[in-house]
Amino acid sequence: RAFNADLPYDRFALEHLAGDVLPDPRLDSKTGVNESVIGSGFWHLGEEVHSPVDIRQDQADRFDNRIDVVTKTFLGLTVSCARCHDHKFDAISTADYYALFGLLEGSAYRQVRFDGWAKNREVAKELARLRDDYQRRLGDTWVGAAPAEPDKKFAAWLGNAKTVIDYGDLPPAQWFPDDVTFGDGPRPAGAVRIVNGKLGFEPAAAAVFDRFWADLKLAPNTAKDSQGLGRAVRAGFSIRTPVVNLEKKKLHYLVRGGGMAFAAVGQSTVIAGPLHGSLILSFPNADEYRWVTHDLSGYVGQKLHVELTADPRTEFAVAMVVQSADAPPAVPFAQPKPKEVPAAKVAMAEIGSLVDDLGKQVMWESRTALALWDGNAVDSPVFVRGNPRTPGAVVPHRSLEAIHGGKPVPHTAGSGRLELAKQWVDPTTNPFFTRVFVNRAWHHLFGRGLVASVDNFGLLGEKPTHPELLDYLATEFAAGGFKLKPLLRRLVLTDAYRMSPTGSASADDADPANLLLHEFRVRRLDGESIRDAMLSVSGRLKANDAGGPGTLIHLTPFLDGRGRPGTGPIDGDGRRSIYLAVRRNFLNPFFLAFDTPIPFSTVGRRQVSNVPAQALILLNDPLVHQQAEVWAKAVLAKPGTTADRLKGMYLTAFGRPIAPDELRECRAFLGKSETDAKAWADLAHTLFNVKEFVFIR
């Protein structure tokens, strides 16, 4: 949708790098979908190990993949080479690498509710205004005991412990709910609270789940979190702490109500079975605050944050999270029971009616998507020789020193990822951003980039064939508002693009690699385009069926193994290849034969081979046979002579008129079977195997 809408590329990159924290998210005008937050989900599409034995090592490997992908994509640099040592050839140090590592440590995984984004936030603002109003009106009618001061035993215990978060003394930069359901900040001690029609007050400052949102639901066919995290619906009901070093053996949660706590050690989420099941702790409902202890003895010395999820049917609240090897002495404040206050009933009824009206405006049902969950700023130590068990000097989180200097990213809240993204997409300070993208556009149109190594603009990358042209296009691209479609239009209208291969021996001798583009390069279509082309000429392609869930690929009997998913229709229900689901252990054989990369990391330039498997798959694949039959039936269904039908087939398949000798050959192939669907299907199958069908001249 972003490419079809010609979203400016700088904004496109911002949404991928930090779409979860943009102050002005891009909302679909028709559906209200938050498009920006969805962009941040790509961070979580890398490989993850099931129940890793060493979580810290696993985190180092996961983050290495993310750093490698994002720096190749947006900077065209192989920053991942500096994981274990300073880059051997480029001005990239291990300090640069671990500065980016720290930026990622401040953000976590979540499933985000992206439907009705603006609508629900408008309701939340009005709800906050009503809450303030009834705080003022009902507060005057309530006479209760003031919150008690913590006793000396608790103060002594807290002095020997480490506070992860205290919502009574919370910096604004550490308020991390995953949605609007916890309000815009902690409820202060003494805030009015209504429970079952009775009036009370909050005995301590806390992050309080607002039960107004208890009826939030997931849309049908929306997956919950995987494995142990799927015990509860977390999207919309959760709040997280900052990242801290676990120095004590146990975490203690001062909570009310029921819910679940997940200690996200190393941000690992693939946790099930005996290895790391203890990272998840469910606790039952209780009407009053109590301490819930989470034993994490096996993870001392590691970094973690805690994600606390409310059971929306309860009065969930969390006041503190503390790490200590010793149990806390007691709840550090008095907890008086709510009571009837007759003078408040009228105000409560009026406000309750207004709250009910607000409920009619809420979008209660939403889909979810992978997204980042921004947290606090984290500075990572350098891993000496890449080993996470040998930490070195701590590096401030920042961009690459050679591009933006060695200063930390300036920011006052959050992880700093948004500020880094703004630095990267600014062509006045980062010369790589526009050049890398313009070069990719050139590569996809001409078959070779002006810089052939599209993912590597460093010293080991290939030198640009036309450096002045690359600079010019990059400058014009930025000046034109980072729009891709005008750039593509400009390139395809050039003489260089509109040429055909000439086979001139003299020109080939002068420019044997065709680096100066004395003629157009003959190019083979990629596997996805070949499949789409077959669907298009057969009339089966649903060209306007954009978006929505992916379609399962068709699994032949040869595609078998552990975790085998369901199989889809042979033709993918006529949908474009981009909408075919991808399972890394059940990849499409048709695509693999035509060099579609295995999706483990970024591949800016595909390998192009010419191997027997390609001819064999065009001869034998069930999809090819099926589409040949569909095409034949469509041809026979149209009125006209045999010559008319053959002319139409050539025009559809090759975009040109049929030659007289081709017409004779096709007639001879059909023989006397000019109305035989099988003969026409065989002819269609033959045309799919003509080189002209899979190559561009």
Side-chain angles (χ1 to χ4, degrees), residues 525 529-540 590 594 614-615 617-632 635 649-650 652-654 680-695:
L525 294 175
S529 298
I530 295 171
R531 175 189 173 277
D532 288 354
M534 288 192 296
L535 292 174
S536 179
V537 299
S538 73
R540 182 70 179 104
F590 187 97
F594 287 98
Q614 295 166 1
I617 209 158
L618 285 175
L619 283 172
N620 301 311
D621 193 86
L623 172 70
V624 182
H625 283 269
Q626 180 197 59
Q627 292 311 300
E629 293 171 2
V630 172
W631 190 13
V635 168
M649 290 182 78
Y650 264 73
T652 301
F654 307 130
W680 283 91
D682 289 343
L683 176 60
H685 190 185
T686 302
L687 296 183
F688 284 153
N689 280 269
V690 174
K691 291 294 184 185
E692 192 175 350
F693 188 78
V694 297
F695 282 85

Side-chain angles (χ1 to χ4, degrees), residues 286-555:
D287 294 334
E288 295 185 342
Y289 279 98
R290 80 284 194 195
W291 288 102
V292 172
T293 295
H294 197 168
D295 189 346
L296 298 171
S297 303
Y299 303 94
V300 174
Q302 302 219 46
K303 289 181 180 177
L304 60 74
H305 69 274
V306 180
E307 299 170 8
L308 292 145
T309 300
D311 178 343
R313 301 164 298 178
T314 68
E315 297 288 333
F316 180 85
V318 52
M320 296 182 76
V321 176
V322 180
Q323 50 173 311
S324 173
D326 302 320
V331 173
F333 44 76
Q335 301 186 74
K337 300 286 187 183
K339 68 177 184 179
E340 298 274 4
V341 180
K345 285 188 175 181
V346 175
M348 290 166 63
E350 291 176 0
I351 293 167
S353 176
L354 293 173
V355 170
D356 290 342
D357 290 340
L358 278 179
K360 299 173 184 177
Q361 303 174 35
V362 173
M363 190 166 187
W364 292 105
E365 189 175 272
S366 175
R367 295 164 291 171
T368 63
L370 299 176
L372 283 176
W373 190 354
D374 204 44
N376 58 308
V378 177
D379 293 333
S380 174
V382 170
F383 296 166
V384 178
R385 296 186 178 180
N387 186 347
R389 286 173 292 280
T390 56
V394 174
V395 183
H397 52 283
R398 57 170 173 78
S399 181
L400 305 186
E401 185 174 4
I403 301 178
H404 293 109
K407 297 180 180 179
V409 178
H411 65 102
T412 56
S415 65
R417 188 166 30 85
L418 175 60
E419 290 73 18
L420 173 85
K422 289 179 178 178
Q423 287 184 344
W424 279 14
V425 304
D426 183 356
T428 64
T429 63
N430 177 17
F432 290 97
F433 180 69
T434 49
R435 285 166 177 78
V436 168
F437 186 69
V438 164
N439 187 63
R440 291 189 193 281
W442 187 281
H443 161 80
H444 284 287
L445 290 175
F446 288 89
R448 185 186 193 277
L450 296 171
V451 177
S453 53
V454 294
D455 288 336
N456 187 3
F457 275 45
L459 189 64
L460 289 186
E462 299 190 43
K463 293 182 179 180
T465 55
H466 304 74
E468 296 87 353
L469 176 59
L470 181 62
D471 288 349
Y472 171 75
L473 290 174
T475 303
E476 290 292 297
F477 178 60
F482 298 90
K483 292 297 190 78
L484 175 61
K485 289 185 178 181
L487 171 66
L488 297 179
R489 185 179 299 112
R490 186 171 195 174
L491 295 182
V492 299
L493 292 178
T494 60
D495 289 341
Y497 184 80
R498 291 184 291 173
M499 289 190 299
S500 295
T502 63
S504 168
S506 61
D508 287 344
D509 290 342
D511 182 23
N514 196 20
L515 298 181
L516 303 180
L517 290 174
H518 66 266
E519 62 182 14
F520 192 80
R521 299 183 181 97
V522 177
R523 293 199 296 124
R524 198 203 71 216
L525 294 175
D526 56 48
E528 295 93 327
S529 298
I530 295 171
R531 175 189 173 277
D532 288 354
M534 288 192 296
L535 292 174
S536 179
V537 299
S538 73
R540 182 70 179 104
L541 183 68
K542 296 180 179 178
N544 296 321
D545 185 16
T551 302
L552 293 174
I553 69 166
H554 177 70
L555 299 179

Side-chain angles (χ1 to χ4, degrees), residues 102-182:
L103 276 161
L104 295 185
E105 280 193 297
S107 303
Y109 157 92
R110 63 169 164 164
Q111 292 272 5
V112 67
R113 303 173 63 89
F114 59 84
D115 287 319
W117 185 273
K119 181 183 294 185
N120 286 5
R121 273 148 186 76
E122 290 171 3
V123 170
K125 287 180 181 178
E126 182 60 20
L127 187 65
R129 190 191 65 77
L130 286 177
R131 298 290 193 219
D132 290 342
D133 184 45
Y134 83 57
Q135 173 70 41
R136 177 182 56 80
R137 295 175 62 185
L138 299 183
D140 293 339
T141 68
W142 169 249
V143 179
E149 293 293 330
D151 60 30
K152 293 181 179 179
K153 287 184 179 179
F154 176 77
W157 173 81
L158 193 62
N160 293 321
K162 292 281 186 180
T163 301
V164 176
I165 198 162
D166 179 357
Y167 286 102
D169 184 23
L170 184 75
Q174 292 188 7
W175 179 246
F176 304 132
D178 81 326
D179 211 329
V180 296
T181 52
F182 282 83

Side-chain angles (χ1 to χ4, degrees), residues 54-335:
D54 186 337
I55 285 187
R56 187 61 166 160
Q57 181 65 55
D58 177 63
Q59 181 191 35
D61 295 338
R62 285 183 283 115
F63 280 24
D64 181 67
N65 176 253
R66 295 176 189 180
I67 291 171
D68 184 47
V69 168
V70 78
T71 53
K72 283 180 177 176
T73 300
F74 297 117
L75 301 180
L77 295 172
T78 55
V79 174
S80 187
C81 292
R83 176 182 181 179
C84 304
H85 49 72
D86 291 348
H87 202 294
K88 295 294 186 182
F89 303 98
D90 298 335
I92 302 170
S93 65
T94 54
D96 285 331
Y97 178 91
Y98 289 99
L100 298 179
F101 195 99
L103 276 161
L104 295 185
E105 280 193 297
S107 303
Y109 157 92
R110 63 169 164 164
Q111 292 272 5
V112 67
R113 303 173 63 89
F114 59 84
D115 287 319
W117 185 273
K119 181 183 294 185
N120 286 5
R121 273 148 186 76
E122 290 171 3
V123 170
K125 287 180 181 178
E126 182 60 20
L127 187 65
R129 190 191 65 77
L130 286 177
R131 298 290 193 219
D132 290 342
D133 184 45
Y134 83 57
Q135 173 70 41
R136 177 182 56 80
R137 295 175 62 185
L138 299 183
D140 293 339
T141 68
W142 169 249
V143 179
E149 293 293 330
D151 60 30
K152 293 181 179 179
K153 287 184 179 179
F154 176 77
W157 173 81
L158 193 62
N160 293 321
K162 292 281 186 180
T163 301
V164 176
I165 198 162
D166 179 357
Y167 286 102
D169 184 23
L170 184 75
Q174 292 188 7
W175 179 246
F176 304 132
D178 81 326
D179 211 329
V180 296
T181 52
F182 282 83
D184 56 6
R187 299 252 187 105
V192 168
R193 174 169 171 254
I194 301 172
V195 183
N196 299 325
K198 296 181 179 181
L199 196 62
F201 67 90
E202 292 291 351
V208 179
F209 174 76
D210 193 333
R211 290 192 66 183
F212 170 86
W213 301 101
D215 291 331
L216 286 174
K217 295 179 176 62
L218 297 182
N221 302 317
T222 299
K224 294 195 296 185
D225 287 314
S226 64
Q227 302 181 32
L229 296 179
R231 293 181 192 173
V233 176
R234 302 200 308 148
F237 302 111
S238 301
I239 191 167
R240 59 160 289 186
T241 72
V243 175
V244 296
N245 290 317
L246 184 64
E247 300 177 26
K248 310 290 184 178
K249 292 183 178 181
K250 297 176 181 178
L251 290 181
H252 306 278
Y253 312 126
L254 184 53
V255 291
R256 181 181 65 212
M260 184 176 82
F262 167 47
V265 176
Q267 299 182 8
S268 180
T269 57
V270 188
I271 48 170
L275 283 183
H276 306 296
S278 63
L279 294 179
I280 299 175
L281 178 68
S282 298
F283 45 89
N285 182 36
D287 294 334
E288 295 185 342
Y289 279 98
R290 80 284 194 195
W291 288 102
V292 172
T293 295
H294 197 168
D295 189 346
L296 298 171
S297 303
Y299 303 94
V300 174
Q302 302 219 46
K303 289 181 180 177
L304 60 74
H305 69 274
V306 180
E307 299 170 8
L308 292 145
T309 300
D311 178 343
R313 301 164 298 178
T314 68
E315 297 288 333
F316 180 85
V318 52
M320 296 182 76
V321 176
V322 180
Q323 50 173 311
S324 173
D326 302 320
V331 173
F333 44 76
Q335 301 186 74

